[in-house]
Amino acid sequence: MDYSLLWLDWKRREALPSYTGTLCGEVKTGEGKAALRELIAGFQAMRGRAPTLSSQKESPCLRLEELEGPGEGFSLLREGEGMRLRGCGKGLLYGAFYLLRHLALGEDFPEKTSSPAYPIRMLDHWDNADGSVERGYSGNSFFFREGGPVCTARTADYARLLASCGLNGSCINNVNVKGNALYLLSGKYNKELREIAACLGEYGVALWLSVSFSAPMELGGLPTADPLDEGVRAWWRDTCASLFAAVPNLAGFLVKADSEGRPGPHTYGRSHAEGANMLAQAVEPWGGKILWRCFVYNCTQDWRDTKTDRARAQCDTFAPLDGLFRDNVYLQAKNGPVDFQIREPVSPLLGRLPHTNSLLEFQLAQEYTGQQRHVCYLPAMFREVLDFRLRHREEQDTVAESIQAVTAVSNTGDDYNWTGHDLAAANLFGFGLLSWDPKADPAKIAREWSILTFGNDPRVTETVCRILLGSRETYEKYTVPLGIGWMCVPGVHYGPSPEGYEYDRWGTYHRATCRAIGVERGPEGTGYTEQYAPALAAQYRDVETCPEELLLFFHRVPYSHRMKDGRTLLQRIYDDHFEGYEEAEEMARAWESLKGRVPEDAFRRVQERFREQLRSAREWRDIINSWFYRLTMIPDKMGRTLYL
Ligand code: GCW
């Protein structure tokens, strides 16, 4: 096998309950059969012996009861010394994985009745047709090779991994549609797409494709892509008719329009609603959906322009369009208003679309959070976002209660361990569990992932959880302070460069001088705070009530600003950087202590990554600290080296 099975590599478990020796009941659907197959293989691996199959009701056994319909929920209940798993085909599949995971954790009768919070729970791959992956940190694509899509054994195991943690969709190509990816719509790759779709479909995973808004011109040779042009509308209708007929299990399209140079409706003086609705009508006869990204901002800003605020752009563009989208359109918004930084406020747009389907986008690929070379456990951050109260209503006002679907930019590639860093697989697993149940506990997720991955050794579990659970704060401390973002090397987004983006066109400024730093985003400044509900706007507007970890996102303050604990802002920045590096050292030491307790190959891979994390963390600490010192000439109170 040239790749790992990650958390699906079931380990032997002593004294399994006796019902795992017999499976009874009949299954009819593809997903039901997949559930049965997984249970047989899982029980066999854990018991060391295959279970027997019986069509009679025997006791004790695991009895499968398949219902008709598309439902995804399941119930898993004790029946004497046995258990009964009940649900439609997909439900059986999720229930089977639930049972296997919990048996592996050492539970004998893990009873559960559950259904997912959202009908769309997916991954976005930024995979290009040439096999490269935009912001990919774990090798090349396993969906595309030599210019076209491929279906391999890995596709099937990918589908199993997704289903095992509750995910049910995959958009396999980059939102920046380029090269041969354009021809995914043309019929040229229908055979491969059909194979991929069928392979994913066996595990309840729907196929999605990213499409270019100007495909009618690029592919169809039309003179325009104007969404109100009859020829354009007919082209999309015909193209969808042949594609959806040829590729069953195609769920719809993801579109990045009028964003970072991509074509879109604005070229023709049309709105995003007109653009998205035109595509929505074309896919409607096929039950298709349009996922329309909201990552729209001016990416050719002049740094001297202090009026334009990139953080405002998405709300300014999309909030006025709320309610104008067709039912099969989902507006896809990133979790923060800017771009997947280590600390951002929750995007105000998520509270401004009460009459439109919205889809929350996270990023598992750690573009700005260590690129899968640094450990940075993200489920805790995701949970913070999902729990965040948007305050437009008195109750049921959290992000989790305001959205209709979730997705995440994938962190997978064709590396042996799928995610480059072995510990980054915990992010993928955790995102899946949260997409099913936004109330899932990140600490429990870490524990479960560790046991499924490394086995049930309490020392290993405790150490791995300690590393994971502190990792985001540690990363934040040695990199970019208090929500300011962007002090990374332009383009690659790895390593420190305090002014790398300062005079560039991307709208990402901190505007530091020798006296103060930050962009004022209250009403006296860019007015960004006013995009939130009144209660939140009031909190963010005021330096005193603004959450401290977001201080420099919302306000421009002098370095002498007093933090709540009495330290100055600048002293806090110095301290964080020294502490962050020490914490990184501590995590690396903790990993060293697991030598001999986790498989040697995984041990070595992670050890390698920690070496790079420490090198990079030291570099961040020293470059950021000395840059602030040069700017302010205010020394560190503790007299530590600032590398002048
Ligand atoms: O953060 C930026 C990335 C781009 C990406 C873009 C987006 C796919 O640097 O690589 O393009 O976000 O989300 O569209």
Side-chain angles (χ1 to χ4, degrees):
M1 194 100 160
D2 60 357
Y3 54 87
S4 141
L5 290 176
L6 299 179
W7 57 85
L8 291 184
D9 193 2
W10 307 114
K11 322 257 179 307
R12 274 301 284 276
R13 209 203 106 178
E14 297 306 318
L16 268 185
S18 58
Y19 68 82
T20 58
T22 315
L23 277 157
C24 36
E26 270 178 47
V27 288
K28 295 200 178 63
T29 62
E31 289 101 339
K33 289 185 181 140
L36 186 61
R37 205 162 53 235
E38 291 298 326
L39 288 165
I40 295 172
F43 288 170
Q44 158 135 31
M46 285 189 228
R47 287 157 44 87
R49 222 156 14 98
T52 50
L53 297 184
S54 157
S55 52
Q56 307 298 316
K57 187 181 166 197
E58 288 185 25
S59 193
C61 70
L62 172 66
R63 190 156 67 86
L64 299 185
E65 207 180 301
E66 185 169 18
L67 308 173
E68 273 178 35
E72 295 187 295
F74 65 88
S75 77
L76 185 59
L77 295 171
R78 192 170 170 155
E79 244 178 12
E81 283 310 297
M83 289 198 87
R84 186 193 68 182
L85 172 60
R86 189 159 191 250
C88 304
K90 284 188 180 189
L92 291 186
L93 188 56
Y94 297 119
F97 279 120
Y98 182 89
L99 175 62
L100 290 167
R101 288 182 356 232
H102 287 259
L103 282 171
L105 294 175
E107 293 169 39
D108 285 350
F109 295 95
E111 293 188 292
K112 180 91 174 168
T113 299
S114 187
S115 51
Y118 309 109
I120 300 177
R121 310 174 301 279
M122 58 189 286
L123 291 182
D124 291 4
H125 292 264
W126 289 353
D127 293 22
N128 298 314
D130 65 4
S132 63
V133 180
E134 181 158 344
R135 311 302 174 188
Y137 312 108
S138 45
N140 288 318
S141 172
F142 51 80
F143 285 121
F144 294 91
R145 250 180 238 155
E146 290 153 23
V150 286
C151 187
T152 66
R154 199 162 179 145
T155 319
D157 281 310
Y158 164 85
R160 297 177 60 226
L161 285 168
L162 263 60
S164 73
C165 61
L167 295 166
N168 72 358
S170 177
C171 184
I172 63 169
N173 67 308
N174 190 355
V175 287
N176 292 325
V177 181
K178 47 190 172 189
N180 277 358
L182 194 61
Y183 299 103
L184 292 172
L185 281 180
S186 71
K188 181 173 175 192
Y189 295 117
N190 280 358
K191 178 174 161 289
E192 291 83 355
L193 290 176
R194 202 164 34 237
E195 280 167 16
I196 295 175
C199 182
L200 299 180
E202 274 193 49
Y203 281 84
V205 178
L207 174 71
W208 299 79
L209 295 175
S210 295
V211 300
S212 165
F213 194 76
S214 55
M217 298 164 79
E218 297 158 306
L219 209 56
L222 300 190
T224 175
D226 182 347
L228 300 194
D229 179 276
E230 255 323 305
V232 169
R233 298 171 82 88
W235 186 87
W236 279 109
R237 258 196 319 270
D238 296 347
T239 301
C240 290
S242 30
L243 186 67
F244 279 83
V247 186
N249 193 29
L250 176 63
F253 300 145
L254 171 60
V255 193
K256 172 175 177 177
D258 289 317
S259 164
E260 302 189 324
R262 305 304 304 166
H266 283 179
T267 310
Y268 310 97
R270 312 297 183 196
S271 74
H272 283 274
E274 288 167 317
N277 288 341
M278 178 275 293
L279 289 176
Q281 279 177 287
V283 300
E284 205 169 76
W286 308 91
K289 298 186 169 60
I290 297 298
L291 314 178
W292 189 269
R293 289 179 97 230
C294 300
F295 190 56
V296 175
Y297 67 98
N298 174 4
C299 66
T300 55
Q301 197 177 328
D302 182 326
W303 63 270
R304 289 162 297 194
D305 163 10
T306 53
K307 296 273 175 303
T308 307
D309 178 7
R310 171 167 167 182
R312 290 190 57 125
Q314 301 182 38
C315 235
D316 283 346
T317 307
F318 287 94
L321 301 178
D322 180 38
L324 300 181
F325 294 88
R326 297 180 77 86
D327 286 349
N328 58 335
V329 175
Y330 286 68
L331 290 189
Q332 179 165 327
K334 295 187 181 187
N335 61 280
V338 187
D339 195 10
F340 301 135
Q341 302 300 296
I342 186 66
R343 180 76 66 176
E344 279 186 51
V346 167
S347 171
L349 181 58
L350 294 167
R352 300 285 298 276
L353 300 170
H355 308 294
T356 304
N357 291 318
S358 57
L359 202 181
L360 170 59
E361 176 179 332
F362 288 120
Q363 192 188 46
L364 293 163
Q366 297 166 237
E367 178 176 357
Y368 299 94
T369 55
Q371 304 197 347
Q372 295 159 235
R373 283 179 263 182
H374 298 227
V375 194
C376 190
Y377 181 64
L378 297 168
M381 183 206 277
F382 298 165
R383 192 46 215 275
E384 263 167 42
V385 172
L386 291 162
D387 280 352
F388 186 79
R389 293 189 54 196
L390 292 156
R391 311 285 291 271
H392 287 286
R393 301 188 286 258
E394 287 290 309
E395 40 189 42
Q396 304 218 307
D397 64 340
T398 64
V399 169
E401 290 160 325
S402 307
I403 56 173
Q404 283 68 45
V406 273
T407 191
V409 179
S410 187
N411 58 355
T412 54
D414 71 356
D415 274 0
Y416 172 80
N417 64 3
W418 299 79
T419 53
H421 200 311
D422 284 55
L423 301 185
N427 287 335
L428 177 58
F429 180 74
F431 168 68
L433 262 54
L434 282 165
S435 78
W436 181 279
D437 173 14
K439 289 260 174 258
D441 174 0
K444 280 204 188 129
I445 293 173
R447 176 177 172 276
E448 179 173 340
W449 175 80
S450 177
I451 293 175
L452 299 182
T453 304
F454 297 120
N456 205 345
D457 170 347
R459 239 219 23 236
V460 174
T461 313
E462 186 274 322
T463 308
V464 168
C465 289
R466 185 151 41 87
I467 292 173
L468 290 177
L469 296 174
S471 59
R472 184 236 184 158
E473 278 70 21
T474 297
Y475 183 83
E476 180 180 29
K477 279 185 179 174
Y478 63 70
T479 58
V480 196
L482 305 167
I484 197 121
W486 297 105
M487 290 184 162
C488 57
V489 177
V492 295
H493 299 168
Y494 189 76
S497 177
E499 294 192 354
Y501 269 115
E502 198 50 21
Y503 305 102
D504 217 327
R505 64 182 173 94
W506 301 93
T508 49
Y509 316 111
H510 53 62
R511 310 221 179 261
T513 64
C514 63
R515 285 187 194 85
I517 183 168
V519 172
E520 184 55 44
R521 293 198 157 105
E524 314 282 281
T526 70
Y528 165 81
T529 53
E530 309 312 295
Q531 294 185 332
Y532 291 93
L536 281 178
Q539 187 196 359
Y540 290 145
R541 213 184 279 146
D542 183 347
V543 180
E544 295 306 315
T545 52
C546 175
E548 210 155 57
E549 68 275 9
L550 287 167
L551 179 66
L552 297 180
F553 186 93
F554 283 106
H555 295 288
R556 178 166 185 79
V557 288
Y559 298 103
S560 58
H561 173 86
R562 287 284 158 200
M563 304 300 285
K564 297 204 169 82
D565 62 9
R567 284 183 288 178
T568 63
L569 165 65
L570 187 64
Q571 192 57 41
R572 162 76 186 267
I573 293 175
Y574 289 149
D575 290 349
D576 275 2
H577 284 77
F578 286 110
E579 271 169 40
Y581 178 69
E582 280 166 24
E583 288 171 18
E585 278 185 313
E586 179 50 48
M587 294 199 293
R589 269 198 299 275
W591 183 257
E592 289 294 328
S593 77
L594 299 183
K595 188 167 173 56
R597 289 182 173 262
V598 294
E600 186 61 18
D601 60 331
F603 177 79
R604 289 246 176 85
R605 283 192 300 266
V606 174
Q607 187 183 42
E608 264 316 301
R609 301 264 152 174
F610 267 123
R611 273 194 204 118
E612 167 55 18
Q613 180 171 359
L614 287 187
R615 185 207 61 76
S616 172
R618 206 180 308 120
E619 181 176 59
W620 270 101
R621 177 195 70 186
D622 293 340
I623 288 185
I624 298 293
N625 276 349
S626 40
W627 180 77
F628 275 108
Y629 178 60
R630 286 178 196 170
L631 205 58
T632 62
M633 291 310 285
I634 303 171
D636 168 36
K637 274 213 168 103
M638 314 278 282
R640 291 163 291 198
T641 308
L642 294 180
Y643 295 95
L644 314 180

